[in-house]
Amino acid sequence: MFSSLIISRNFSTTPLRLGNINYKKMELGNKRWSKQHKKMQFKRFNKPNAFPDIPVFKYGTRDTGIRHDAFWEHVPEKVPELMVPDLKECDLKPYVSYATNDIYQEELTSKDLFNVIYGRKIIEDFRSGKLDTDGNSLEPNKLEELTPEQAEVLARQTGSDIFVGGDPYSKTFALKIPIGKR
């Protein structure tokens, strides 16, 4: 009669589960097994392991050869080659001080790009009266004659973004020229 009045507290270190745990659905990689199992599972030169149904995770590494049925064939082309430049005569220092001044450069907008490519020519044509009633140039240069498809092909060519020399264009090169009556 008094057994239902006894207060008891249960303590468990594992959660209550209805059924077994399916370990195959857990992505534990190679961390799950004992040392003896790992010796049986992980063989050199991709030899067949004792448990073929358990996948071996390589964590992004690649083999340097090919496993045939009876032997391992090393392929020298698959060995990663690190290309390190010789910096003996380089004037640059490997350390950049935290005391250097911050360089602030405004984001290049489409308006800035338009002004660099076409702005000077439009201003010159306006001053010399070489624009028609629609605002198009009467004497277009080779960049103005391009169709949108041709311009896209030129922009996607290798090396189209490389500065070819001369004075680099400034984003505010000569656009502050007063135009018209003031």
Side-chain angles (χ1 to χ4, degrees), residues 87 89-95:
L87 300 175
E89 298 177 4
C90 182
D91 294 334
L92 299 175
K93 304 294 181 195
Y95 172 75

Side-chain angles (χ1 to χ4, degrees), residues 152-164:
E152 184 178 3
V153 168
L154 282 176
R156 293 188 182 273
Q157 283 183 350
T158 304
S160 64
D161 58 342
I162 298 174
F163 180 65
V164 292

Side-chain angles (χ1 to χ4, degrees), residues 62-120:
R62 297 181 181 174
D63 295 328
T64 59
I66 301 170
R67 177 73 192 162
H68 299 285
D69 290 337
F71 64 97
W72 171 264
E73 178 185 2
H74 178 72
V75 180
E77 290 84 9
K78 292 180 88 175
V79 175
E81 182 179 346
L82 301 177
M83 304 296 286
V84 180
D86 184 19
L87 300 175
K88 290 180 181 175
E89 298 177 4
C90 182
D91 294 334
L92 299 175
K93 304 294 181 195
Y95 172 75
V96 177
S97 173
Y98 285 103
T100 58
N101 296 332
D102 290 337
I103 298 173
Y104 176 74
Q105 183 176 0
E106 293 179 3
E107 183 179 348
L108 183 67
T109 62
S110 58
K111 182 179 179 181
D112 296 330
L113 186 61
F114 179 83
N115 289 337
V116 167
I117 301 295
Y118 300 109
R120 182 173 294 172

Side-chain angles (χ1 to χ4, degrees), residues 18-62:
L18 300 173
N20 296 334
I21 298 173
N22 188 359
Y23 286 104
K24 289 188 177 182
K25 288 188 178 179
M26 293 184 181
E27 295 182 8
L28 299 175
N30 302 326
K31 305 286 184 187
R32 182 170 121 197
W33 309 102
S34 65
K35 287 185 180 182
Q36 180 182 3
H37 172 84
K38 289 180 182 178
K39 285 182 183 177
M40 294 166 52
Q41 181 74 359
F42 306 115
K43 305 278 186 171
R44 289 183 57 141
F45 305 119
N46 285 350
K47 290 182 183 174
N49 49 29
F51 307 101
D53 59 330
I54 300 173
V56 175
F57 297 98
K58 296 186 179 183
Y59 300 107
T61 61
R62 297 181 181 174

